[in-house]
Amino acid sequence: MAQFKTPLEIYKLLPQSNCRQCYLPSCLAFATAVLKGERQLADCPCLSAETAALGDGGSGARASMDRNMEEVSLRLQGEVAGIDLAARAPVVGGRMVGGRLAVTCLGKDFFIGVDGTVTSECHINPWVTVPLLRYVLGSTGVAPVGQWVSMRELADGQTWNPLFVQRCEAVLQRLADAQPHLFADLIGMFSGRQAPPVFDADIAIILAPLPKVPVLICYWRAEDDLGSRLGIFFDRTADRHLGVELLHTLGVGMVSMFARIGQQHG
Ligand code: SF4
C-alpha cells in the first residue's frame, strides 16, 4: 500500500475529470478524502484495479461506497419529510395508502412515510432508496412516450455511458448468456412484459423500476462469429424524472439484484 503525504500525490493518480461518480464534487475533493481516510482509492470507479490497489488493496471499497450511499439516502429522507406526499402521488404514478405514499418498483410496493423513511416487504438498500426518493422529490411527472433510447442519448448520457455499459449491460449480458431462462424469470418475478419486436432483438422485455421510468432490455443471441449482445434502453423522457447519474444508480441496483437472484437459483 502506498503512503500518501499530500492530496496532490493522490490527485495525480486520478483521471481528473471531476465526473462525480464517487459522489464527491471533484477529483481533488476525492483525493483529500482519501488522504483523511474517509474514502479509499478503489471508490473511484474510473481507476484501473492496479491503481486502486495502491491505496487499499481493494478491500473495503464496496463497504465504503455503500456507506456513502447510505448518507445520501438519509439526506434525501430528510428532504422528503418536508413535502406533501399526497400532492406528489399522482405526479409520480403512486398512490396514498394509510397516510404513506406507495410507489410500485419492479412490481413490488415501496411505502414512503411522512418522515421520509422507506419500507417494503422487499430487501431495501440505498441503491434503490436513493433513486426512489430523488424520483419522488424531482420527477416532472411526464408520461413515457414509447421511444427507446440508449443511455448516451439522454442529457449528459455520454459521460455515464461507459460506466453504465460496464456495470449494467455487460453484467446482465453475462447473466443472460449463462442462464437461458433469465428473461422469463424476470418477467415472472418483477411484473415485466414482453416488448413488441424492436431493434431486431431476439428477446426484448420491458420492466418498470419506477412507475414512469420503464426500461427495455434487448438481447441478441450469439451467432456465427459474433458474440451475444445486450442493451438496456430508456424511454426518451427518463431524464425528466432522474438525472443520468441516478439512472445509472438505478441500473446498478436493478442488475445487482438480478445477479443475486441468479446466484441463488444456481
Ligand atoms: S469518480 Fe474518480 S474521476 Fe470521478 S470525480 Fe471522483 S475521483 Fe474524480
Side-chain angles (χ1 to χ4, degrees):
M1 172 172 162
Q3 295 297 317
F4 300 111
K5 294 189 176 63
T6 67
L8 201 58
E9 288 173 10
I10 300 166
Y11 180 74
K12 283 179 187 166
L13 299 173
L14 301 173
Q16 300 167 22
S17 62
N18 299 327
C19 70
R20 297 192 298 129
Q21 292 176 51
C22 56
Y23 298 97
L24 287 172
S26 66
C27 292
L28 191 56
F30 179 82
T32 306
V34 171
L35 193 71
K36 288 180 182 168
E38 294 168 357
R39 293 286 185 279
Q40 300 180 1
L41 260 186
D43 290 342
C44 169
C46 306
L47 290 181
S48 68
E50 293 74 23
T51 306
L54 286 174
D56 67 352
S59 64
R62 174 72 196 193
S64 174
M65 187 72 99
D66 283 350
R67 243 185 352 261
N68 204 8
M69 289 292 286
E70 286 282 5
E71 286 166 17
V72 176
S73 180
L74 282 174
R75 201 184 65 232
L76 290 175
Q77 279 179 28
E79 287 182 40
V80 167
I83 68 170
D84 181 349
L85 291 176
R88 291 299 290 164
V91 178
V92 301
R95 64 197 192 282
M96 294 305 289
V97 178
R100 296 179 300 168
L101 171 60
V103 179
T104 307
C105 308
L106 292 172
K108 321 287 181 203
D109 282 337
F110 287 74
F111 298 93
I112 299 158
V114 289
D115 60 355
T117 53
V118 182
T119 51
S120 172
E121 284 182 358
C122 300
H123 175 69
I124 294 179
N125 70 59
W127 296 87
V128 174
T129 54
V130 167
L132 171 61
L133 292 171
R134 180 49 70 195
Y135 172 75
V136 167
L137 284 165
S139 167
T140 60
V142 64
V145 293
Q147 291 174 22
W148 300 107
V149 297
S150 65
M151 161 73 73
R152 67 175 174 277
E153 293 170 86
L154 295 170
D156 294 330
Q158 295 278 4
T159 308
W160 285 86
N161 191 56
L163 201 67
F164 185 75
V165 169
Q166 179 192 332
R167 286 191 168 179
C168 297
E169 293 181 333
V171 174
L172 196 53
Q173 180 190 336
R174 286 196 291 274
L175 212 57
D177 289 345
Q179 300 187 17
H181 301 298
L182 175 75
F183 295 106
D185 289 348
L186 295 185
I187 286 176
M189 282 191 270
F190 299 111
S191 305
R193 61 190 162 91
Q194 252 174 350
V198 59
F199 299 142
D200 223 8
D202 293 309
I203 299 173
I205 68 168
I206 295 172
L207 298 171
L210 291 167
K212 295 189 176 181
V213 186
V215 295
L216 169 72
I217 302 174
C218 290
Y219 180 70
W220 295 265
R221 293 192 187 93
E223 206 179 316
D224 302 325
D225 291 341
L226 290 175
S228 66
R229 287 182 296 134
L230 185 142
I232 301 176
F233 300 88
F234 296 91
D235 189 88
R236 63 170 299 157
T237 58
D239 50 11
R240 295 171 66 186
H241 299 282
L242 286 176
V244 282
E245 179 175 350
L246 283 170
L247 290 173
H248 167 267
T249 304
L250 188 67
V252 171
M254 192 173 71
V255 170
S256 310
M257 184 168 61
F258 298 161
R260 237 185 352 260
I261 290 169
Q263 280 166 1
Q264 284 163 5
H265 288 200

